[in-house]
Amino acid sequence: MSIEVRNISKTFGRFSALKHVSLRVEAGELVALLGPSGSGKTTLLRIIAGLDVPDPSQDMQVLLSEEDVAARHVGSRQVGFVFQHYALFRHMTVFDNIAFGLRVRPRQQRPGRKEIEEKVTRLLRLIQLENLGNRYPSQLSGGQRQRVALARALAIEPKVLLLDEPFGALDARVRQDLRNWLRRLHEEIHITSVFVTHDQEEALELADRVVVMNEGKIEQVGTPDEVFHHPKTEFVMRFMGHVNLFHGRVESDKAVFGPWELEPDEGVYTEGKDARLFVRPHEMDILREPDGRPMAEATVKRIHSAGPYVKVELHLESGEILLVELSHDRFREINPVVGEKILVGLRNARVFSEDYVI
Ligand code: ADP
Ligand code: MG
C-alpha cells in the first residue's frame, strides 16, 4: 500500500510544526524520516496514522493506496504503530501481548483460538523469540521488548507500518543489531514502512529512501547515496555527519577559499557573494611534499588512532580547526606527529553560495 501526503500543514497554537509537506512512499518501500528533534517527524507520522489531523486547507490530502483517508479514523486505516517507549502490557505475557490486537476485534472478525495461536507462533518465530512467549515484558531485554512491540503491531496485518524512533531508548550495540534485523525483516515481509529517526547513520543504513526534515519542512528526499553524496542544502550536508567548513568568496567565477579555487560543476556562481566550502573529514588528505595540487599549511594538534580510521586534528594558520580522517595505511605512510607543520589537500568538496543551488 502506497502512502501519499499532499500539502500538509500543522500548527499548534501559533507554532507551525509542519509547513506544506508533500511526500509519496511507494508500496513496499522502507522510508526514513530523518531530522533533528522538533523538526516535525512525529507530527507527520501521527497525521499519516490518523492520530492527528492536519490544518484544514483546500488542496491538503492524505492518501493510503491512492484513497483519501482524511475522513477515516485510526482504527480503519490498517496502520501498525511502534513507538520509542514500548508500551507493552506489563501484566500480559509476550504471547498475550502479541495476540491482543486480534482478541479485541469484534466477534465476527475475530479469528478462532487455534488461528490466533498459529499466528502468534509465526510472529514469535519472525522476531526470533520463539521460546519466550510465556515471559512477561519485565523479563525481557529492551531490544527484545521492541521486537515484541513490532510483532504486536504486525499481528493485525497492517498495510502500513509506522515506527517512531523505535530503537531510540536502546544502547548503541543493541540499536545496531536491531537495525540489521529490521532491514532483513523488511526484505522478508516487504510492508510499506515509515521509520522516524534523528540518527543519520541509522537512516542511511536502513532505508530505501531518506526524507531529511528541518523546521517542519522537507529539505531533501533521496536514496541514502543521494542525500549523503549529493546534499541539496547546507542543512543536509551538515546533518549527515561531521564537516569541515571554510568561508570564502566568489571571484572571477570561482569560489575562493584560501589556496582552493573551485569552479561550479554546472551553472555559474554569482560574483562577489559569500561562499562556503564543506569537506567531510575523509575527503581531506595530508601530505609532506607539495604534489602540484593546491594545499594549505596546518599544524598537527591531536591524533586519535583507536578506531577504524585515524582522526587527525589540525589547526590552520587562520586559526580554523580541521578534522581529517585517514586510513591506517595512509596514516603510516605519512606518519604525522603532533606539533609539526604539514600540508592539507582536498579530495572532494561541496560549495554552497548565495544565488547558487546545486
Ligand atoms: P520531532 O518528532 O521531529 O522531534 P515533533 O513532530 O514531535 O518533532 O514536534 C514538532 C514541533 O511541534 C515541536 O516543536 C513540538 O514542540 C511541537 N509540537 C508537537 N506536538 C505538539 C502539541 N500537541 N502541542 C504543541 N506543540 C506540539
Ligand atoms: Mg518525535
Side-chain angles (χ1 to χ4, degrees), residues 50-67:
L51 294 166
D52 250 333
V53 277
D55 297 346
S57 98
Q58 287 279 310
D59 50 355
M60 165 280 279
Q61 272 184 317
V62 180
L63 306 161
L64 295 181
S65 264
E66 325 300 335
E67 184 201 343

Side-chain angles (χ1 to χ4, degrees), residues 38 41-43 164-165 196:
K41 307 180 297 291
T42 296
T43 305
D164 194 355
E165 312 225 15
V196 165

Side-chain angles (χ1 to χ4, degrees), residues 130-143:
E130 277 169 283
N131 302 317
L132 302 188
N134 292 326
R135 291 229 185 142
Y136 285 87
S138 61
Q139 297 169 312
L140 300 178
S141 70

